[in-house]
Amino acid sequence: MTMKKIFKTSLALLATIIGLSSCLEDKGYTDLINSVGAEPIVSIFGNYGGSLQTGKFKIDTLVEITYPVNLGSINTLDKDVAVTMGVTTAATNFLNATNTKRVAAGDDPYAVLPTTEYTLVNPVIKAGTRDANFSIKVKLSKTLDFTKEYVIPVGISDASGLKISSNLGFMNVFVGGTPNKYDGVYQSTGYFSHPSLPRAIDRVKTLTTIDKTTSETEFADLGSAAKMWLKVAKDNTVTIIPKGSAETLAGPFEQTGVNKYDPATKTFTLNYQYNVGTRVITEVIKKN
C-alpha cells in the first residue's frame, strides 16, 4: 500500500472514530473512548439511562413495560450480546441520591419495591444489530403497603463481558398508579344551602387516587360528572379543586371556614361555595 493510500485510510478511520465519539457524546456517554478507538459499550438507551421514569401499574393485574438497551461501537458484532438486568449498585446509588434530595426538600423517601412484586426479562442484542428491549413485568399484590411510594432500581449487571456505561447503565422506575392513603369508600354527610333546593347531604362517596396527596371525588351531590380534587398539605389542611363539570359552575368558587383532614379518624371536613355564595356546602366525608 502506498503512503498516500495509508494516509487516506488513516484519515478515514480517524474520521469514523471522531464521528462515533461525537455521536455517543451527544447521547450522554462519559466513558467511551480508549486510547485506540471506541470500545464497545452497552447502555440503557433512548434518554432512559441515568433517569427516573414512571410506570403505571395496577393492583393484582400484570402490567409489562419495555425499555431499550443499545450497543455503542464502531461496528456491529458478529455474536449475540446477552444482557442481564438486575438491582445494581449504580441503580441503588441513584435512588439513594434521589432520596437525599427528597428528604432535604421535606418529602418522604421512596421505598424499594420488593422483588416479589416484579420480574425482569433480559434482552439479547442479536449479532449484527445494536438494539434490543428488556421488560419489567409488575403485578402489585393487594397486601403491599400502599402508604409508601415505590421505585424499582434497575441496571445492567452484565453484557456478555462488554463494558457497561457508567452513567447510562442504570435507571429508576417510579411505581405509579398505586392508591394513596386516602383512597377508598367514604360516607358523606352535610348540608347544601341552595336558594331553590336546599337539602341535606347523605351519600356514599369514593375517593380515587390522583397522586400521593390528591384524590378525586364527587363535588357536593351534583352527580358523577361534577368532580373535585382534595389535596392534603403536610399540615393536613385541604385544598379543593373543582374538576369535570364543576369547573364550569357559575363562579366564583371559594373555600370557606375549615377545610382539613383528620388522619386519626380518616375524615375530611369541607366548607365551600359557588355562584357568588348563593350555593354553600358544608360536608364531612368519613372513611367507612
Side-chain angles (χ1 to χ4, degrees), residues 18-33 41-51 68-73 130-131 165-170:
I18 292 173
L20 178 65
S21 300
S22 298
C23 176
L24 294 174
E25 286 172 1
D26 287 343
K27 295 297 184 182
Y29 290 106
T30 62
D31 52 5
L32 287 172
I33 309 306
I41 188 167
V42 179
S43 68
I44 298 174
F45 217 54
N47 297 320
Y48 296 113
S51 70
V69 293
N70 174 265
L71 170 67
S73 61
R130 298 184 184 278
D131 302 292
S165 174
S166 64
N167 65 316
L168 299 179
F170 62 89

Side-chain angles (χ1 to χ4, degrees), residues 199-257:
R199 56 199 183 267
I201 296 175
D202 188 2
R203 61 202 293 115
V204 173
K205 288 190 174 184
T206 299
L207 269 65
T208 57
T209 297
I210 299 300
D211 58 32
K212 178 184 176 182
T213 61
T214 310
S215 306
E216 182 177 83
T217 192
E218 180 186 4
F219 184 98
D221 61 355
L222 299 184
S224 59
K227 302 290 187 181
M228 61 180 174
W229 287 5
L230 305 179
K231 186 174 184 65
V232 183
K234 284 188 173 295
D235 63 357
N236 289 316
T237 57
V238 176
T239 299
I240 304 171
I241 307 169
K243 292 290 181 178
S245 62
E247 293 182 88
T248 60
L249 293 172
F253 168 81
E254 294 178 299
Q255 291 188 205
T256 59

Side-chain angles (χ1 to χ4, degrees), residues 161-182:
L162 297 181
K163 187 174 183 180
I164 299 167
S165 174
S166 64
N167 65 316
L168 299 179
F170 62 89
M171 66 185 298
N172 285 179
V173 180
F174 176 74
V175 181
T178 60
N180 63 28
K181 63 183 178 182
Y182 314 104

